[in-house]
Amino acid sequence: MDKNENPGFNISGFYIVDRSKKEEIERLKKYWSENCAPDITDPPGFYRFCAEIDGEIVNEELAEYIMEGYLNGLRYYYTPPVSDWQYKKQFITIVKAGVFWHNHILEGIKISSHSEFIRFFDKEENRKKYIVEDFYGNRYSLEEVSDIIKKMEQRIRLKIKDFKAVAADEITAEINLWGRDTALVLCVELDEDRGNEKRYIRNALKYIKENIERINDRVEYIAENKDRIIEELMQCNPLDMVQCYLENRLNDAAADHYVWSDSTEIRLPVTEADFLEKLLVCECISMEIDVTDEEDEPDIAVTVSFGAADDLLGGHGWDIEVDED
């Protein structure tokens, strides 16, 4: 999609792209489609190609890694084992629920706000090394990105009309966190035995409408404190659980990698970096509202539910309760 066809509010995110790394991967993909798909028929030529690029990603080491797997029976067919995520990072997500900064640190600068984004690109060396693109690969100037961010920050507060009742006790919306669409679910606690569900729903809707700013704040709090939530998640030893499930999927106990259905490769044993970048999925953010006690002010209990990509855990995962300090 051309960026001129994209009216801003449909943009899901922007990415900071390393120019040279992107060029390496694009050159490799082109060479692969012309010379290595579906089979590497000229290993010496492939080695020479990677050695001539001699970049941070595409180099002799990558060629040796690919050929070692090839000689052991691993076939990549039409796609080389590289990922666009090796050259780009999503630094901001823009959806109806808000403008969410991903808190990446690049070149020693934390990018968690518009001002920090500007400060990052104030450095001439960063302007030379990095560019900004959207999901479709359209390039944006810093001025274009800044204008879109300013406009969206002014208009995209979550409104009650953005929620859609899909069941008697759930009101849902879609947001984008951790790089993918995530269900934001308002779970309304009901006392069904009394047969007053409609009244409770009316109370819940009234409460949501009157406290929409507070709900917005909780969503934004989650976005701004993702690192802290991840730290709490890591205390649950997710790497051990993921490693166990991966080993159960593999027939070869001595295997040193696992390939997803989309050709994403995970080297074993799983590292924390690969887990966070390639495996971790934020499946749902639930906000539980209890409106059954009409004497007490309802409270919002927030839980972030995580799982793993490729349905690796078969529905299992981790629930992290989020409390504002």
Short mmCIF file of all heavy atoms in Angstrom, two decimals, residues 190-223:
data_model
loop_
_atom_site.label_atom_id
_atom_site.label_comp_id
_atom_site.label_asym_id
_atom_site.label_seq_id
_atom_site.Cartn_x
_atom_site.Cartn_y
_atom_site.Cartn_z
N LEU A 190 -20.83 -10.57 36.93
CA LEU A 190 -22.29 -10.57 37.12
C LEU A 190 -22.71 -11.57 38.18
O LEU A 190 -22.01 -12.54 38.44
CB LEU A 190 -23.00 -10.93 35.81
CG LEU A 190 -22.69 -10.07 34.58
CD1 LEU A 190 -23.40 -10.62 33.37
CD2 LEU A 190 -23.09 -8.63 34.82
N ASP A 191 -23.83 -11.31 38.77
CA ASP A 191 -24.45 -12.27 39.69
C ASP A 191 -25.66 -12.86 38.96
O ASP A 191 -26.79 -12.38 39.08
CB ASP A 191 -24.87 -11.57 40.99
CG ASP A 191 -25.35 -12.56 42.03
OD1 ASP A 191 -25.56 -13.73 41.66
OD2 ASP A 191 -25.51 -12.17 43.20
N GLU A 192 -25.39 -13.91 38.18
CA GLU A 192 -26.44 -14.44 37.30
C GLU A 192 -27.58 -15.10 38.07
O GLU A 192 -28.69 -15.23 37.55
CB GLU A 192 -25.81 -15.44 36.32
CG GLU A 192 -24.78 -14.77 35.40
CD GLU A 192 -24.16 -15.77 34.44
OE1 GLU A 192 -24.54 -16.94 34.50
OE2 GLU A 192 -23.29 -15.37 33.65
N ASP A 193 -27.30 -15.52 39.28
CA ASP A 193 -28.35 -16.20 40.06
C ASP A 193 -29.52 -15.26 40.35
O ASP A 193 -30.65 -15.71 40.56
CB ASP A 193 -27.77 -16.74 41.37
CG ASP A 193 -26.80 -17.89 41.12
OD1 ASP A 193 -26.90 -18.49 40.03
OD2 ASP A 193 -25.96 -18.16 41.98
N ARG A 194 -29.25 -13.99 40.42
CA ARG A 194 -30.31 -13.04 40.76
C ARG A 194 -31.15 -12.66 39.55
O ARG A 194 -32.19 -12.03 39.69
CB ARG A 194 -29.69 -11.77 41.35
CG ARG A 194 -28.97 -11.99 42.67
CD ARG A 194 -28.48 -10.67 43.24
NE ARG A 194 -27.78 -10.83 44.50
CZ ARG A 194 -27.25 -9.82 45.18
NH1 ARG A 194 -27.37 -8.58 44.73
NH2 ARG A 194 -26.62 -10.04 46.32
N GLY A 195 -30.68 -13.01 38.36
CA GLY A 195 -31.44 -12.67 37.16
C GLY A 195 -31.44 -11.20 36.83
O GLY A 195 -32.38 -10.70 36.22
N ASN A 196 -30.40 -10.49 37.29
CA ASN A 196 -30.34 -9.04 37.06
C ASN A 196 -29.24 -8.66 36.08
O ASN A 196 -28.63 -7.59 36.19
CB ASN A 196 -30.11 -8.31 38.39
CG ASN A 196 -31.30 -8.41 39.31
OD1 ASN A 196 -32.43 -8.39 38.84
ND2 ASN A 196 -31.05 -8.51 40.60
N GLU A 197 -28.95 -9.54 35.12
CA GLU A 197 -27.82 -9.30 34.22
C GLU A 197 -27.95 -7.98 33.47
O GLU A 197 -26.98 -7.23 33.33
CB GLU A 197 -27.69 -10.44 33.19
CG GLU A 197 -27.27 -11.76 33.80
CD GLU A 197 -28.47 -12.62 34.17
OE1 GLU A 197 -29.57 -12.05 34.32
OE2 GLU A 197 -28.31 -13.84 34.31
N LYS A 198 -29.17 -7.67 32.98
CA LYS A 198 -29.34 -6.45 32.21
C LYS A 198 -29.03 -5.22 33.05
O LYS A 198 -28.42 -4.26 32.56
CB LYS A 198 -30.76 -6.38 31.65
CG LYS A 198 -31.04 -7.42 30.57
CD LYS A 198 -32.44 -7.24 30.00
CE LYS A 198 -32.72 -8.26 28.90
NZ LYS A 198 -34.08 -8.10 28.32
N ARG A 199 -29.45 -5.27 34.30
CA ARG A 199 -29.18 -4.11 35.16
C ARG A 199 -27.69 -3.97 35.42
O ARG A 199 -27.15 -2.86 35.43
CB ARG A 199 -29.94 -4.26 36.49
CG ARG A 199 -29.69 -3.09 37.45
CD ARG A 199 -30.80 -3.02 38.49
NE ARG A 199 -30.88 -4.25 39.25
CZ ARG A 199 -30.16 -4.47 40.36
NH1 ARG A 199 -29.31 -3.56 40.80
NH2 ARG A 199 -30.29 -5.60 41.03
N TYR A 200 -27.01 -5.11 35.63
CA TYR A 200 -25.57 -5.05 35.86
C TYR A 200 -24.84 -4.52 34.62
O TYR A 200 -23.88 -3.75 34.73
CB TYR A 200 -25.03 -6.44 36.22
CG TYR A 200 -25.45 -6.91 37.59
CD1 TYR A 200 -25.88 -8.22 37.81
CD2 TYR A 200 -25.41 -6.05 38.68
CE1 TYR A 200 -26.26 -8.66 39.06
CE2 TYR A 200 -25.79 -6.47 39.94
CZ TYR A 200 -26.22 -7.78 40.13
OH TYR A 200 -26.59 -8.20 41.37
N ILE A 201 -25.29 -4.97 33.43
CA ILE A 201 -24.68 -4.48 32.21
C ILE A 201 -24.86 -2.98 32.08
O ILE A 201 -23.94 -2.25 31.71
CB ILE A 201 -25.25 -5.22 30.98
CG1 ILE A 201 -24.70 -6.64 30.93
CG2 ILE A 201 -24.91 -4.47 29.70
CD1 ILE A 201 -23.22 -6.72 30.63
N ARG A 202 -26.08 -2.51 32.40
CA ARG A 202 -26.32 -1.06 32.34
C ARG A 202 -25.40 -0.34 33.32
O ARG A 202 -24.84 0.71 33.00
CB ARG A 202 -27.78 -0.75 32.66
CG ARG A 202 -28.75 -1.10 31.52
CD ARG A 202 -30.09 -0.40 31.73
NE ARG A 202 -30.73 -0.81 32.97
CZ ARG A 202 -31.57 -1.84 33.06
NH1 ARG A 202 -31.86 -2.54 31.98
NH2 ARG A 202 -32.12 -2.16 34.21
N ASN A 203 -25.24 -0.90 34.53
CA ASN A 203 -24.34 -0.29 35.51
C ASN A 203 -22.91 -0.27 35.00
O ASN A 203 -22.17 0.71 35.18
CB ASN A 203 -24.40 -1.06 36.83
CG ASN A 203 -25.72 -0.88 37.55
OD1 ASN A 203 -26.49 0.01 37.21
ND2 ASN A 203 -26.00 -1.73 38.53
N ALA A 204 -22.52 -1.39 34.35
CA ALA A 204 -21.15 -1.48 33.84
C ALA A 204 -20.93 -0.46 32.73
O ALA A 204 -19.90 0.23 32.70
CB ALA A 204 -20.88 -2.89 33.33
N LEU A 205 -21.87 -0.35 31.80
CA LEU A 205 -21.72 0.60 30.71
C LEU A 205 -21.67 2.04 31.25
O LEU A 205 -20.89 2.86 30.77
CB LEU A 205 -22.88 0.45 29.73
CG LEU A 205 -22.86 -0.83 28.88
CD1 LEU A 205 -24.15 -0.94 28.08
CD2 LEU A 205 -21.66 -0.84 27.96
N LYS A 206 -22.50 2.31 32.24
CA LYS A 206 -22.48 3.64 32.85
C LYS A 206 -21.12 3.91 33.51
O LYS A 206 -20.53 4.98 33.37
CB LYS A 206 -23.60 3.74 33.90
CG LYS A 206 -23.70 5.09 34.60
CD LYS A 206 -24.94 5.12 35.49
CE LYS A 206 -25.08 6.47 36.19
NZ LYS A 206 -24.02 6.69 37.20
N TYR A 207 -20.63 2.88 34.21
CA TYR A 207 -19.33 3.04 34.87
C TYR A 207 -18.21 3.25 33.84
O TYR A 207 -17.35 4.12 34.02
CB TYR A 207 -19.02 1.79 35.70
CG TYR A 207 -17.63 1.77 36.28
CD1 TYR A 207 -17.32 2.52 37.41
CD2 TYR A 207 -16.62 1.02 35.69
CE1 TYR A 207 -16.04 2.53 37.93
CE2 TYR A 207 -15.34 1.01 36.20
CZ TYR A 207 -15.05 1.76 37.32
OH TYR A 207 -13.79 1.77 37.82
N ILE A 208 -18.24 2.46 32.75
CA ILE A 208 -17.21 2.58 31.72
C ILE A 208 -17.26 3.97 31.09
O ILE A 208 -16.23 4.61 30.88
CB ILE A 208 -17.39 1.48 30.65
CG1 ILE A 208 -17.10 0.11 31.26
CG2 ILE A 208 -16.47 1.72 29.46
CD1 ILE A 208 -17.54 -1.05 30.39
N LYS A 209 -18.47 4.43 30.78
CA LYS A 209 -18.60 5.73 30.14
C LYS A 209 -18.09 6.85 31.04
O LYS A 209 -17.41 7.77 30.59
CB LYS A 209 -20.07 5.97 29.79
CG LYS A 209 -20.31 7.23 28.96
CD LYS A 209 -21.74 7.30 28.49
CE LYS A 209 -21.96 8.52 27.60
NZ LYS A 209 -23.34 8.60 27.10
N GLU A 210 -18.39 6.75 32.32
CA GLU A 210 -17.96 7.79 33.25
C GLU A 210 -16.47 7.71 33.57
O GLU A 210 -15.87 8.71 34.00
CB GLU A 210 -18.76 7.69 34.56
CG GLU A 210 -20.25 8.02 34.39
CD GLU A 210 -21.04 7.78 35.66
OE1 GLU A 210 -20.46 7.17 36.59
OE2 GLU A 210 -22.21 8.19 35.70
N ASN A 211 -15.88 6.52 33.36
CA ASN A 211 -14.47 6.33 33.73
C ASN A 211 -13.60 5.99 32.52
O ASN A 211 -12.55 5.36 32.67
CB ASN A 211 -14.36 5.20 34.76
CG ASN A 211 -14.95 5.58 36.10
OD1 ASN A 211 -14.28 6.14 36.95
ND2 ASN A 211 -16.22 5.26 36.27
N ILE A 212 -14.02 6.45 31.33
CA ILE A 212 -13.27 6.10 30.13
C ILE A 212 -11.85 6.63 30.18
O ILE A 212 -10.90 5.98 29.69
CB ILE A 212 -14.02 6.59 28.87
CG1 ILE A 212 -13.46 5.91 27.63
CG2 ILE A 212 -13.96 8.10 28.74
CD1 ILE A 212 -13.74 4.45 27.57
N GLU A 213 -11.65 7.78 30.78
CA GLU A 213 -10.29 8.32 30.89
C GLU A 213 -9.43 7.42 31.77
O GLU A 213 -8.25 7.20 31.50
CB GLU A 213 -10.32 9.75 31.45
CG GLU A 213 -10.94 10.76 30.50
CD GLU A 213 -10.14 10.87 29.22
OE1 GLU A 213 -8.89 10.86 29.28
OE2 GLU A 213 -10.75 10.95 28.14
N ARG A 214 -10.01 6.92 32.83
CA ARG A 214 -9.26 6.03 33.73
C ARG A 214 -8.90 4.73 33.02
O ARG A 214 -7.80 4.20 33.18
CB ARG A 214 -10.12 5.73 34.96
CG ARG A 214 -9.41 4.88 36.00
CD ARG A 214 -10.32 4.59 37.16
NE ARG A 214 -9.71 3.64 38.07
CZ ARG A 214 -10.39 2.87 38.90
NH1 ARG A 214 -11.71 2.95 38.91
NH2 ARG A 214 -9.79 2.03 39.70
N ILE A 215 -9.83 4.21 32.21
CA ILE A 215 -9.54 2.99 31.44
C ILE A 215 -8.44 3.27 30.44
O ILE A 215 -7.52 2.47 30.25
CB ILE A 215 -10.82 2.49 30.75
CG1 ILE A 215 -11.83 2.02 31.81
CG2 ILE A 215 -10.51 1.36 29.78
CD1 ILE A 215 -13.19 1.70 31.25
N ASN A 216 -8.51 4.41 29.77
CA ASN A 216 -7.43 4.82 28.88
C ASN A 216 -6.10 4.85 29.60
O ASN A 216 -5.08 4.37 29.09
CB ASN A 216 -7.71 6.21 28.31
CG ASN A 216 -8.52 6.18 27.03
OD1 ASN A 216 -8.12 5.54 26.08
ND2 ASN A 216 -9.65 6.84 27.04
N ASP A 217 -6.11 5.42 30.79
CA ASP A 217 -4.87 5.53 31.56
C ASP A 217 -4.29 4.15 31.88
O ASP A 217 -3.07 3.96 31.87
CB ASP A 217 -5.11 6.30 32.85
CG ASP A 217 -5.37 7.78 32.60
OD1 ASP A 217 -5.04 8.24 31.49
OD2 ASP A 217 -5.91 8.44 33.49
N ARG A 218 -5.16 3.19 32.16
CA ARG A 218 -4.66 1.84 32.47
C ARG A 218 -4.02 1.20 31.24
O ARG A 218 -3.00 0.52 31.33
CB ARG A 218 -5.80 0.95 33.00
CG ARG A 218 -6.40 1.41 34.32
CD ARG A 218 -5.38 1.55 35.44
NE ARG A 218 -4.76 0.30 35.80
CZ ARG A 218 -5.19 -0.54 36.74
NH1 ARG A 218 -6.29 -0.24 37.40
NH2 ARG A 218 -4.55 -1.65 37.02
N VAL A 219 -4.65 1.39 30.08
CA VAL A 219 -4.08 0.87 28.84
C VAL A 219 -2.72 1.52 28.58
O VAL A 219 -1.75 0.85 28.24
CB VAL A 219 -5.03 1.11 27.66
CG1 VAL A 219 -4.37 0.68 26.35
CG2 VAL A 219 -6.33 0.35 27.86
N GLU A 220 -2.66 2.83 28.74
CA GLU A 220 -1.41 3.54 28.50
C GLU A 220 -0.36 3.15 29.52
O GLU A 220 0.84 3.07 29.21
CB GLU A 220 -1.66 5.04 28.51
CG GLU A 220 -2.50 5.50 27.33
CD GLU A 220 -2.90 6.96 27.42
OE1 GLU A 220 -2.47 7.62 28.38
OE2 GLU A 220 -3.64 7.41 26.54
N TYR A 221 -0.79 2.89 30.75
CA TYR A 221 0.15 2.45 31.78
C TYR A 221 0.82 1.13 31.37
O TYR A 221 2.02 0.94 31.54
CB TYR A 221 -0.58 2.27 33.12
CG TYR A 221 0.31 1.77 34.23
CD1 TYR A 221 1.06 2.66 34.98
CD2 TYR A 221 0.39 0.42 34.53
CE1 TYR A 221 1.89 2.22 36.00
CE2 TYR A 221 1.20 -0.04 35.55
CZ TYR A 221 1.95 0.86 36.29
OH TYR A 221 2.77 0.40 37.28
N ILE A 222 0.01 0.21 30.82
CA ILE A 222 0.56 -1.07 30.36
C ILE A 222 1.58 -0.83 29.25
O ILE A 222 2.66 -1.41 29.24
CB ILE A 222 -0.58 -1.99 29.86
CG1 ILE A 222 -1.45 -2.41 31.05
CG2 ILE A 222 -0.02 -3.22 29.17
CD1 ILE A 222 -2.71 -3.14 30.64
N ALA A 223 1.23 0.04 28.30
CA ALA A 223 2.14 0.31 27.18
C ALA A 223 3.44 0.92 27.67
O ALA A 223 4.52 0.59 27.18
CB ALA A 223 1.46 1.23 26.17
#
